[in-house]
Amino acid sequence: MTRPARARRAVAAAASAVLACSVLTACGGGDSGPATLNWYINPDGQDTLNALAKSCSTDEYTIKINLLPSSATDQRTQLARRLAAKDSSTDLMSLDPVFVPEFANAKWLLPFKGDLAGKVLDDDVLKGIAETVQWDDQVVAAPQWANTQVLWYRKSLAEAAGLDMTKPVTWDQVIDAASENDGTVGVQANKYEAYVVWINSLIQGAGGNILDPSTVESGRDAKVTISSQAGEDAAAVIRKLARSKAAQPDFTTSNEGTSLGQMYPAQGAGEFMTNWTFVYKNYEGLLGKPGGPKDKAELEDLGFTRYPQTVAGQESKPPVGGIDIGVGAYSKHPDLAQQAAICVTDAKAQSALAVNEGLMPSRQSVYDSDELKKAYPPALLTLWRESVDSGGPRPKSAFYSQISSAIQSRWHSPTSVGPGTPKRSASFLEDILSGKALL
Amino acid sequence: MSNVKERVGTGVGVTLILLWCLLPVAWIVSLSFKSQEAVTNGSPGFFPASGAGAGFDNYKQVLQDDAFLLAIRNSIVVSLSATILSVALATLAAYAIARLEFRGKKFVLTTALVIAMFPVVSLVGPLFDMWRTVGLYDTWWGLMIPYISFTLPLAIWTLSAFFREIPWEMEQAAQVDGATPWQAFRKVIVPLAAPGVFTAAILTFFFAWNDFVFGISLTSTERARPIPAALSFFVGADPFNRPASLLAAAAVVATIPIVVLVLFFQRKIVAGLTAGAVKG
Amino acid sequence: MTTTEARPTSHKPSKPPKAPDSDRSRSENRLALKLVALPLALMLLVTAFPMLRALYLSLFDYSLTAPDDRTFIGLSNYVTALTDGLFWRDTLITVFIMVVTVSFELVIGFAFAMVMHKVIFARGVIRTSILIPYGVITVVSGFAWQFAFSNTNGFVNSWLPFIDTDFNWFAEQGSSLVAIMASEIWKTTPFMSLLLLAGLAQVSEDMIEAAKVDGATWFQRLYKVILPNMRAAIMVAVLFRALDAYRIFDNIFVMTAGANNTESISFLTYRQVIEQFQLGIGSALSVLLFLSVLVVAAVIVKLFRVDLADARQG
């Protein structure tokens, strides 16, 4: 191996291998067999998505599942890097709705046109969700499921606190009720996307917005409106929880998973927790296991109600999320990929995701289906649908990831949030949008 | 009297060294035996609590995880190929540096030194941009090329230090017998240099196996993603929490090749690490 | 780089006398150039070329998510970076991590080296164990320590008597940095101690013995005989570890992802380029990162050079 001639040959071989590789990727999949469509999924609901990939495959194409990392930010990074490299093997991708504008703006998503667009966005799709897949008057992705947060709680804890849960509750009430009754309040306050979800909902719940909704789509020229009374109200809630006994030990690094265990703790009265729809299936599956309800009675002690109000009397704006399916702009099989996208987002697929995985539909008809009514308490289904319908979206901007990072950088750690925070984050956000500051 | 004191002191020192080196390793092994349920619900303590043990479940699961198996494949292929190529190239350069007088030697050494100090992060941006244009992004070669370049300095130093210890009179003798410098190199020196080459190879392998910056920046799928990057993206059954014990099991698996190399070649590794750096 | 003189190449006792025949020296020159050409080219391909490209891109406002909007803006990116508090805060954090970790590593590594130098039994076992942290993947070390410090699954809180069991190490800057530095120090002290051990082996036993006979205390022997005689080894060890520490990235990525002001300058650059796709300002940061590494190297070389000169005079 030490002979230079051999080494030179090795390098030459290497070079030709590289060449062959890129030629292969450029024309791979062109054989006579069915085409392979790569679908990049996020880790929620893997089992059902794998089954969907199988059942949606046809004679013409086979859908191959590829797993993305678990955090929304990492998912975006991975996909964006592939697409920036004009990768032709990215056919289908599961996208968090907040990243759709950025991807569409960079022309990384293949729009659905004509009949297909009509199929993706018919009247059955919930209004708030339909909004997330449109950019520049085009349908750029297909909604697959919708997510929303509600307030989960132990009925016994609310009772002990004398809180009437049939009426809307406020964050103040919830924090006081928990801290006075040996309970805790579970939120998502680590330095990551879901913390922005919380902040955004708090602000919208007080009638404000991070960016002015009428200018948000103009990208860098959007007007920053976070420095407002609503911003201050939101900061006050975070500050109150941070200083309360009800804050969980890992408050500043908490995520959707960390507070699950506090609902049925070994000691203490349990918690109030704002969290996504998967929570119900999660506790059902943990019945009798550590971290879950001891018995049926404890499971029935799990209550749910509308997301808390930021300001008493003003309707809350529950967070909405979910997943849209985009088709890569550089795909070698654009037509097949769009066909597949429609298959994995149809009513049957959505029903399977809802029943098996707790990932809620984006279509009205699926909420009304018998399968769902069998799987979930009707009251919960209604709560979810209403929450999705009246929820507050995060800023619909092609610069969302920078906006989100900017908010995270000024609002984290939550223990440092106070009256000056909205103002500070506003001027920082302006600098970021105009490219005058580092993120 | 002072002799006894010194011995006791050395004994204590040895114990401390062993604790320092092995305790965190023991911890990660112990963690890998905690059950995932126990970890999700919180199970503090060094050892798995009674009833919270998982046996070899985590290992079984890790070794059935396609993404992780592919990462192992990628890491092995990329690290081994980079090692072989890098050491082959470094051998040539080190021979020239240790044995031959030539203009530009200082330049080669300076370049190598600067590269050894190079902040790799400052390269990932332009490299990503280059790789995506030439189609090397998310490929084995896309990782191997930077690995080779960044291990060359280490390999060149280690090897030239070793080469300087070789009795070159034998080469001269061969040359007197009519061999060209090239023949003398191949027939006489290569066998003598083999141990040094081997040592350089181990150190190079360690570097490639350990790399994280290139691993996450220049890959995006299982096609080329190496173990460290795969670990940082590890997803368990619960998508919201890092599956600590599962990750620990994967980490132990990823550490096994290192431990094996260390067990068999500890003397050589130490010699290699210090040869390049201290003599002078 | 003047530091090449610390490398072994500066003197070659075994070098045969140069052949008088200039043909021979010319052929030697040619062979040498052939031998180094490929490695050198490869090293430059992956470093010099991208660096020049970074230099070029740093003059543009260029984002991969809006590739059509690339505009030439001169040195504005550098102005933005250098007038931004974040840049200086992260530089400060990086320097802090570097100084603290290298100091700890130097002291602990020296202690380990002394023990290993003295020890006559179980040398293989010690050598094997000390190489394990060195070989362990940094990401694995990061995870091990992150979980060790975790208040839900770790053991540190229950082992440290003055720490509350619920204490969250990753909730604030100071304690997060402690965890990060613990991982860094754990993994790299062995390397330091091996380099120092090699340096220690070169200090002549006779000199130490002579000092002992003259009645020098242990402390005096250490300061007057041992340390001055292993300055070269210490310098190499410190230089390498310091530059390595200055580039800290893996541990921060794994343990905190930069939360609570634990971001290093490498991490900042990575985020601009790879997460935000801001190739313009990201390239400017890349260039600044490279320059700052050179500054750190120069400072360390300078500091130790003065010392070396003093030692020679004394």
Side-chain angles (χ1 to χ4, degrees):
Chain A
M1 239 0 235
T2 45
R3 294 173 54 175
R6 237 184 261 175
R8 218 177 293 138
R9 234 176 288 146
V11 172
S16 60
V18 171
L19 216 65
C21 246
S22 52
V23 170
L24 265 182
T25 42
C27 52
D31 0 312
S32 50
T36 300
L37 298 179
N38 284 300
W39 180 13
Y40 290 88
I41 63 162
N42 57 320
D44 312 80
Q46 287 174 52
D47 294 339
T48 306
L49 291 176
N50 272 304
L52 273 181
K54 223 173 248 147
S55 66
C56 279
S57 294
T58 66
D59 296 345
E60 282 180 284
Y61 59 84
T62 317
I63 302 177
K64 186 173 164 278
I65 294 268
N66 296 273
L67 200 59
L68 292 168
S70 55
S71 96
T73 316
D74 285 341
Q75 291 161 14
R76 166 190 166 271
T77 311
Q78 297 293 316
L79 286 173
R81 265 193 275 157
R82 296 200 71 78
L83 292 163
K86 295 200 178 0
D87 174 48
S88 64
S89 67
T90 308
D91 301 301
L92 295 163
M93 60 197 118
S94 297
L95 276 176
D96 193 308
V98 289
F99 299 127
V100 169
E102 180 184 41
F103 279 45
N105 194 50
K107 303 203 167 53
W108 290 339
L109 298 177
L110 189 71
F112 292 86
K113 295 247 164 79
D115 283 358
L116 290 176
K119 247 188 191 163
V120 168
L121 275 197
D122 53 20
D123 293 342
D124 194 25
V125 178
L126 297 178
K127 206 168 71 314
I129 299 299
E131 183 66 17
T132 64
V133 295
Q134 297 177 71
W135 186 255
D136 271 352
D137 298 325
Q138 285 184 310
V139 179
V140 291
Q144 187 183 42
W145 51 274
N147 212 348
T148 188
Q149 290 200 357
V150 299
L151 179 65
W152 304 93
Y153 62 97
R154 288 286 293 273
K155 291 176 183 161
S156 51
L157 172 60
E159 217 163 281
L163 211 53
D164 178 7
M165 300 303 284
T166 59
K167 282 192 234 141
V169 291
T170 64
W171 280 100
D172 273 354
Q173 288 173 319
V174 166
I175 295 168
D176 290 338
S179 67
E180 283 158 17
N181 294 281
D182 199 20
T184 57
V185 175
V187 290
Q188 294 84 43
N190 196 4
K191 192 176 183 181
Y192 80 130
E193 183 54 33
Y195 183 41
V196 182
V197 168
W198 186 33
I199 296 167
N200 186 60
S201 285
L202 287 174
I203 295 175
Q204 292 191 326
N209 278 293
I210 294 176
L211 297 177
D212 169 26
S214 62
T215 58
V216 67
E217 290 188 33
S218 42
R220 291 197 182 276
D221 303 323
K223 198 164 155 262
V224 178
T225 52
I226 191 171
S227 177
S228 60
Q229 185 53 43
E232 296 295 343
D233 290 341
V237 170
I238 296 173
R239 184 181 160 89
K240 175 165 176 142
L241 180 54
R243 285 154 192 253
S244 155
K245 251 189 7 222
Q248 295 176 351
D250 48 11
F251 175 54
T252 57
T253 50
S254 55
N255 63 34
E256 289 96 335
T258 53
S259 44
L260 288 175
Q262 301 291 330
M263 189 60 81
Y264 298 101
Q267 283 156 0
E271 66 177 338
F272 292 92
M273 166 176 72
T274 49
N275 211 331
W276 305 99
T277 58
F278 78 98
V279 167
Y280 187 78
K281 282 277 155 192
N282 176 70
Y283 287 128
E284 228 181 32
L286 284 177
L287 187 64
K289 291 187 197 160
K294 262 204 310 285
D295 46 33
K296 261 252 156 5
E298 272 208 341
L299 180 63
E300 260 150 41
D301 194 36
L302 178 70
F304 44 81
T305 188
R306 172 97 175 199
Y307 199 79
Q309 297 178 339
T310 314
V311 181
Q314 189 158 352
E315 193 182 50
S316 67
K317 287 287 200 180
V320 281
I323 285 296
D324 299 332
I325 304 294
V327 171
Y330 308 103
S331 166
K332 278 171 305 215
H333 315 285
D335 299 337
L336 299 180
Q338 291 203 324
Q339 223 174 296
I342 288 175
C343 178
V344 298
T345 56
D346 68 10
K348 218 173 97 212
Q350 296 202 355
S351 167
L353 280 168
V355 172
N356 305 335
E357 311 284 356
L359 307 173
M360 286 298 114
S362 57
R363 292 176 166 276
Q364 176 70 44
S365 63
V366 186
Y367 281 95
D368 299 335
S369 71
D370 291 340
E371 289 99 341
L372 256 75
K373 286 189 176 144
K374 225 183 302 161
Y376 295 99
L380 186 55
L381 280 178
T382 312
L383 174 64
W384 278 337
R385 205 199 50 232
E386 280 173 9
S387 297
V388 171
D389 239 3
S390 60
R394 281 159 276 167
K396 191 181 176 188
S397 164
F399 296 87
Y400 180 74
S401 81
Q402 271 136 295
I403 295 166
S404 171
S405 300
I407 299 283
Q408 289 172 38
S409 109
R410 287 299 178 269
W411 288 67
H412 201 270
S413 157
T415 50
S416 71
V417 169
T421 308
K423 191 154 181 253
R424 275 198 300 278
S425 63
S427 61
F428 184 54
L429 207 47
E430 277 157 7
D431 285 349
I432 289 297
L433 282 174
S434 55
K436 278 197 297 241
L438 279 177
L439 253 181
Chain B
M1 185 44 200
S2 88
N3 211 345
V4 175
K5 232 194 206 157
E6 213 173 279
R7 259 199 223 162
V8 172
T10 315
V12 171
V14 168
T15 317
L16 282 178
I17 294 181
L18 293 184
L19 268 180
W20 172 279
C21 295
L22 301 180
L23 190 76
V25 179
W27 154 243
I28 198 96
V29 172
S30 163
L31 180 62
S32 72
F33 287 104
K34 287 187 182 178
S35 78
Q36 290 179 53
E37 275 169 0
V39 165
T40 310
N41 300 316
S43 83
F46 193 87
F47 294 106
S50 67
F56 284 95
D57 284 356
N58 291 324
Y59 287 92
K60 277 185 207 137
Q61 198 179 331
V62 156
L63 292 175
Q64 280 164 4
D65 182 336
D66 286 339
F68 187 64
L69 291 179
L70 287 173
I72 295 180
R73 178 200 67 178
N74 294 335
S75 268
I76 290 177
V77 171
V78 170
S79 304
L80 277 183
S81 325
T83 302
I84 291 168
L85 291 173
S86 165
V87 170
L89 292 172
T91 308
L92 308 178
Y95 174 81
I97 286 162
R99 278 299 290 158
L100 306 174
E101 213 43 69
F102 65 102
R103 257 175 295 145
K105 185 189 275 190
K106 196 145 193 172
F107 178 70
V108 177
L109 281 164
T110 311
T111 310
L113 186 77
V114 172
I115 288 173
M117 314 187 315
F118 216 93
V120 282
V121 169
S122 65
L123 289 179
V124 294
L127 267 186
F128 166 73
D129 207 28
M130 280 163 65
W131 275 192
R132 79 191 178 102
T133 12
V134 298
L136 281 179
Y137 178 67
D138 202 21
T139 63
W140 286 342
W141 278 101
L143 286 182
M144 269 149 66
I145 295 172
Y147 287 179
I148 295 170
S149 309
F150 274 92
T151 49
L152 272 173
L154 179 75
I156 290 176
W157 287 332
T158 314
L159 282 169
S160 43
F162 269 97
F163 286 179
R164 236 167 269 116
E165 305 289 304
I166 290 174
W168 296 100
E169 305 80 46
M170 290 175 65
E171 187 201 34
Q172 275 171 276
Q175 286 188 21
V176 168
D177 288 349
T180 64
W182 170 243
Q183 281 170 326
F185 169 69
R186 202 183 68 195
K187 296 247 167 77
V188 181
I189 299 308
V190 168
L192 284 172
V197 172
F198 194 69
T199 304
I202 295 176
L203 297 181
T204 302
F205 182 82
F206 274 18
F207 175 95
W209 193 256
N210 183 42
D211 165 76
F212 181 59
V213 176
F214 293 124
I216 44 165
S217 311
L218 301 179
T219 70
S220 66
T221 56
E222 288 100 53
R223 191 168 145 204
R225 185 179 290 149
I227 291 175
L231 286 178
S232 82
F233 291 138
F234 216 82
V235 183
D238 169 7
F240 300 115
N241 276 324
R242 263 187 186 148
S245 57
L246 201 60
L247 240 170
V252 172
V253 172
T255 309
I256 288 171
I258 298 295
V259 173
V260 170
L261 282 177
V262 164
L263 277 180
F264 283 99
F265 306 114
Q266 28 106 355
R267 202 182 296 266
K268 282 208 168 71
I269 301 173
V270 171
L273 274 179
T274 46
V278 179
K279 281 180 207 138
Chain C
M1 280 267 76
T2 44
T3 40
T4 38
E5 280 166 36
R7 308 268 109 228
T9 40
S10 44
H11 56 98
K12 327 170 171 55
S14 63
K15 185 81 199 146
K18 222 176 189 158
D21 156 20
S22 75
D23 268 1
R24 193 185 140 72
S25 91
R26 214 176 300 138
S27 85
E28 196 175 299
N29 208 4
R30 226 177 301 131
L31 172 63
L33 289 179
K34 265 191 223 160
L35 292 177
V36 296
L38 195 55
L40 190 65
L42 207 59
M43 287 194 282
L44 293 178
L45 169 79
V46 176
T47 51
F49 185 60
M51 213 57 228
L52 289 174
R53 193 160 159 78
L55 209 55
Y56 170 73
L57 286 177
S58 69
L59 305 176
F60 290 87
D61 178 8
Y62 179 31
S63 160
L64 273 187
T65 50
D68 306 334
D69 298 346
R70 189 167 111 167
T71 41
F72 182 83
I73 52 168
L75 295 175
S76 293
N77 282 329
Y78 292 94
V79 174
T80 304
L82 290 173
T83 53
D84 199 294
L86 188 62
F87 177 81
W88 294 108
R89 191 197 75 192
D90 287 358
T91 304
L92 208 67
I93 290 169
T94 312
V95 170
F96 174 77
I97 291 178
M98 175 181 82
V99 170
V100 173
T101 54
V102 174
S103 313
F104 271 91
E105 286 159 17
L106 192 60
V107 173
I108 302 172
F110 192 77
F112 282 8
M114 294 284 272
V115 171
M116 286 191 285
H117 190 61
K118 282 265 151 56
V119 87
I120 31 177
F121 54 92
R123 284 192 144 174
V125 176
I126 298 173
R127 205 155 37 196
T128 307
S129 342
I130 207 140
L131 280 173
I132 286 181
Y134 169 76
V136 162
I137 298 176
T138 314
V139 171
V140 167
S141 160
F143 278 130
W145 286 95
Q146 189 195 17
F147 295 139
F149 279 103
S150 146
N151 58 357
T152 46
N153 288 300
F155 65 90
V156 171
N157 280 356
S158 52
W159 284 20
L160 293 180
F162 47 90
I163 298 284
D164 189 63
T165 48
D166 268 351
F167 181 69
N168 184 352
W169 287 82
F170 298 101
E172 50 191 283
Q173 186 188 26
S175 51
S176 300
L177 284 176
V178 168
I180 290 169
M181 291 190 293
S183 172
E184 184 81 1
I185 293 171
W186 173 71
K187 184 173 150 57
T188 50
T189 297
F191 176 69
M192 192 76 132
S193 69
L194 287 173
L195 291 189
L196 295 175
L197 177 62
L200 208 52
Q202 291 181 327
V203 179
S204 111
E205 285 295 328
D206 294 350
M207 271 164 73
I208 302 174
E209 232 15 77
K212 215 174 191 172
V213 170
D214 288 351
T217 62
W218 180 86
F219 199 68
Q220 285 168 327
R221 294 200 301 271
L222 180 69
Y223 261 79
K224 294 268 155 72
V225 183
I226 300 178
L227 286 181
N229 275 295
M230 51 185 293
R231 269 220 164 89
I234 294 176
M235 171 184 152
V236 170
V238 168
L239 181 69
F240 274 68
R241 271 304 308 142
L243 293 178
D244 219 28
Y246 192 81
R247 295 177 287 189
I248 183 168
F249 176 81
D250 304 11
N251 275 318
I252 293 177
F253 186 101
V254 169
M255 297 175 81
T256 64
N260 299 316
N261 299 344
T262 54
E263 184 171 81
S264 70
I265 196 78
S266 282
F267 197 81
L268 174 71
T269 309
Y270 169 84
R271 277 197 312 106
Q272 303 302 317
V273 178
I274 297 291
E275 281 184 23
Q276 308 289 352
F277 306 105
Q278 303 293 330
L279 278 190
I281 186 112
S283 297
L285 285 173
S286 299
V287 173
L288 290 174
L289 173 60
F290 176 62
L291 292 179
S292 63
V293 166
L294 289 184
V295 169
V296 171
V299 167
I300 293 173
V301 168
K302 192 117 204 166
L303 277 178
F304 278 80
R305 223 140 249 280
V306 171
D307 273 347
L308 283 172
D310 286 352
R312 236 172 260 143
Q313 281 158 11

